[in-house]
Amino acid sequence: MRLIYAGVLDLRTDEAYYWTWSKESVLSFLDHPPMIAWFIRFGTAIFGDTNIGVRLGGIVAMAVTQLLLADIVRRVTRNNVRAVIVAVLMPEAALYYGLLMAKVAPDTALIPFAVAMLWSLVRLVQSDDGRWWLAAGLFAGLSLLSKFTAVMLAPAVLAFALVPDWRWRWLRSPYPYLAVVIAAAVFSPVLIWNAQHDWASFRFQAVRAVAVHEFSFRTVGEYIGMQFGLVGFVLLPVVLSGVSLTAWRGYRKREPVAILLSTAVIVPFLYFFWKSLTLRVGDTWPMFLWPAGFAAAAINITRLPFEGWAPWMVKSTIFWARTSVIAGIIFVACVFLYSVASPWNFLGRSDPIGGEAGFDAVAARAEAQLKATGATWVATSDYRTYAMMRWFLRDKVPVVQVNERGRYQGFADPGIAQMRDHVGLYVAREPDNRLPLWNETTAVRQPLERVERSWRGTVMDIYALEKLTGWTPELSPPPGTTFFRWRVLAMLLRSSVAES
């Protein structure tokens, strides 16, 4: 199902954006570390610039994640087949992992490396061989090289090392400290890039992390609702109960693995809940934490019979685990059929699939206008349109986002010779085509046509196509200027100033 889904569905705008990264030779990027670009480059090297090529990394990442979860549970439960099967099937029953992980995102790269780090620490417990700290350090560095939110697993690792009775042994051992050095060395491309670019990535993410807004029931509801939708309406309570019992067991008995798995879920989950009180939490942000929850829930099933729990409690736990898997897989299959085979749009303009579909029609009209007007390049004013125009036009002509140039530091020349003193074609979603930044240029804009981007009979957006003359964009404007600043940061800064 994931392979079909990956091949049939149009790329999301963010996926196309990360695909453009894969065409560049830079150490890192403003928005995220470079691992997702490397994943895409791996896939497109095999299958070319196709949907499957871009998304192959997600398919492989899911398989690796399941294998690692199976091995964690197998080792901890001493080859309990039922627990291993539950650990493998729980991700299949969760919408994000069972289906949507086929869509590549930085989280897609983070998840297998984060689970590999947990797996290394489980191996450490079983073997008592300090060299497993080094493997954990390697995977921790690769996790950070995938997404900055990997740092939220640090409390789990610290608790794992310091709460059990073995803490003094590891505090005196060189292995944990060498693991930190290895993680920093692996993460060094991001550090080097940021040192060269005024720590742009860290400032970009920090503004969103520390932004303060008014309390909102809506954002809290969205966060909780998203977890139910992406993990499972039955599966989420099952996992949370398993994690809670695992935490109780781990901290009471000082069991390293139980402490590690439960803390890897609880700390990030509570942090995102706290952020959701005032900020919309992205749908994929918490997804790196749930695999540890799947492992904890599967292991918990095997522990209850030996801890004096009532028989009805043990039977109920097994029943709900089985029910959550069956119901979840059915739900995932229904979403798959709706996505790739259904002719209907039940959610109108709010549909998450249709919200990013239909760009091929916009690109086709843009290509027709390039021929009609003699334009030699395409201008956009948001990264999503930029990415989709590059994806569909396949660099037949230069495509440039004329603003937010801070996103493209170190990128190769897209073809300035074809742009300078030549007619351009401006493609923008209405009403964003009327941004005030154009008042700072000498550009003359002539409206050409309006193009509807639709999906299953519903118009999702309208795009304006305009002829652009009398101006050539500056690819490397000075930092801090209108055409350099990234809009997310600029908007949040204006909001903070207004609130103060």
Side-chain angles (χ1 to χ4, degrees):
M1 277 171 37
R2 282 191 293 275
L3 283 168
I4 295 171
Y5 186 86
V8 170
L9 239 65
D10 291 341
L11 287 193
R12 293 167 59 248
T13 53
D14 281 354
E15 291 179 292
Y17 183 48
Y18 302 138
W19 169 78
T20 68
W21 290 4
S22 72
K23 302 301 181 182
E24 303 295 334
S25 299
V26 294
L27 289 176
S28 190
F29 304 90
L30 170 72
D31 312 57
H32 295 290
M35 185 62 73
I36 187 59
W38 300 348
F39 266 45
I40 293 173
R41 188 176 297 180
F42 159 74
T44 54
I46 300 173
F47 292 108
D49 292 326
T50 61
N51 290 0
I52 287 289
V54 172
R55 290 169 170 160
L56 179 65
I59 304 295
V60 175
M62 176 62 178
V64 171
T65 299
Q66 287 178 290
L67 289 173
L68 290 169
L69 285 178
D71 197 53
I72 288 173
V73 173
R74 180 184 69 85
R75 292 177 180 280
V76 174
T77 64
R78 298 179 182 178
N79 298 313
N80 187 299
V81 176
R82 172 186 285 176
V84 172
I85 291 174
V86 169
V88 171
L89 291 182
M90 277 185 170
E92 296 289 359
L95 179 61
Y96 179 79
Y97 307 93
L99 188 63
L100 303 185
M101 202 162 161
K103 295 181 178 181
V104 290
D107 313 84
T108 305
L110 167 60
I111 288 168
F113 292 128
V115 175
M117 183 189 71
L118 300 177
W119 172 79
S120 300
L121 296 176
V122 171
R123 297 296 304 270
L124 169 68
V125 173
Q126 291 203 321
S127 66
D128 205 31
D129 185 344
R131 288 175 294 182
W132 281 106
W133 277 110
L134 307 184
L138 170 65
F139 291 122
L142 293 171
S143 297
L144 287 169
L145 210 56
S146 302
K147 196 172 183 180
F148 295 137
T149 48
V151 75
M152 279 189 272
L153 294 174
V157 177
L158 289 173
F160 166 84
L162 300 179
V163 174
D165 294 332
W166 66 7
R167 56 185 173 275
W168 293 115
R169 175 190 173 188
W170 293 125
L171 286 173
R172 289 191 292 265
S173 169
Y175 287 116
Y177 307 104
L178 288 173
V180 173
V181 172
I182 291 172
V186 174
F187 185 57
S188 61
V190 176
L191 298 174
I192 294 170
W193 185 91
N194 274 275
Q196 295 172 341
H197 297 92
D198 194 26
W199 306 103
S201 291
F202 299 124
R203 291 193 297 113
F204 178 81
Q205 296 295 343
V207 167
R208 294 196 290 184
V210 303
V212 177
H213 303 284
E214 294 182 358
F215 174 79
S216 170
F217 283 110
R218 181 180 61 82
T219 52
V220 176
E222 283 183 357
Y223 171 64
I224 299 299
M226 195 65 69
Q227 303 320 297
F228 274 102
L230 294 180
V231 178
F233 295 99
V234 182
L235 183 57
L236 180 64
V238 168
V239 172
L240 287 176
S241 63
V243 168
S244 300
L245 288 173
T246 301
W248 173 80
R249 181 184 304 117
Y251 282 95
R252 185 170 64 90
K253 298 181 179 180
R254 296 187 177 184
E255 292 184 6
V257 173
I259 290 171
L260 176 69
L261 296 177
S262 61
T263 310
V265 177
I266 292 171
V267 171
F269 178 78
L270 292 179
Y271 171 79
F272 286 124
F273 177 80
W274 171 65
K275 292 302 294 183
S276 74
L277 299 176
T278 58
L279 183 73
R280 183 187 179 277
V281 174
D283 53 354
T284 64
W285 297 0
M287 289 302 113
F288 72 95
L289 64 90
W290 294 117
F294 298 147
I299 294 168
N300 180 66
I301 294 173
T302 68
R303 294 295 175 88
L304 293 181
F306 304 101
E307 294 179 339
W309 294 92
W312 70 265
M313 176 70 170
V314 177
K315 290 181 180 178
S316 176
T317 301
I318 295 172
F319 169 79
W320 284 111
R322 182 185 297 118
T323 301
S324 69
V325 167
I326 295 172
I329 290 177
I330 292 173
F331 178 66
V332 171
C334 289
V335 173
F336 166 77
L337 292 173
Y338 172 73
S339 302
V340 304
S342 167
W344 305 292
N345 177 359
F346 294 136
L347 301 176
R349 296 187 65 183
S350 301
D351 191 287
I353 302 170
E356 305 207 44
F359 278 95
D360 52 342
V362 180
R365 291 309 308 154
E367 191 165 10
Q369 288 292 355
L370 285 170
K371 296 177 181 178
T373 61
T376 61
W377 60 286
V378 173
T380 72
S381 50
D382 73 274
Y383 77 88
R384 293 179 175 86
T385 305
Y386 156 80
M388 297 311 289
M389 289 301 102
R390 277 199 65 180
W391 172 252
F392 282 107
L393 295 178
R394 291 295 196 277
D395 291 335
K396 297 175 184 176
V397 297
V399 179
V400 178
Q401 182 183 349
V402 299
N403 58 337
E404 296 184 1
R405 294 303 304 170
R407 293 180 180 273
Y408 307 100
Q409 299 176 77
F411 279 35
D413 176 11
I416 190 66
Q418 292 177 254
M419 300 159 57
R420 185 176 292 113
D421 301 325
H422 287 79
V423 174
L425 179 69
Y426 180 41
V427 181
R429 184 182 66 174
E430 296 182 346
D432 293 344
N433 61 315
R434 296 188 290 273
L435 292 174
L437 61 85
W438 288 107
N439 297 330
E440 301 182 29
T441 73
T442 59
V444 177
R445 293 156 52 205
Q446 175 187 340
L448 297 173
E449 65 174 302
R450 300 166 75 240
V451 182
E452 294 181 346
R453 181 173 67 82
S454 60
W455 185 72
R456 295 181 180 174
T458 301
V459 176
M460 311 303 288
D461 275 315
I462 297 177
Y463 282 75
L465 273 56
E466 302 176 357
K467 184 178 179 180
L468 201 61
T469 56
W471 179 70
T472 301
E474 188 174 357
L475 299 183
S476 300
T481 59
T482 301
F483 289 89
F484 180 89
R485 285 194 300 265
W486 46 91
R487 197 179 309 179
V488 172
L489 179 58
M491 290 174 67
L492 287 174
L493 286 176
R494 285 198 298 270
S495 175
S496 299
V497 170
E499 291 172 1
S500 63

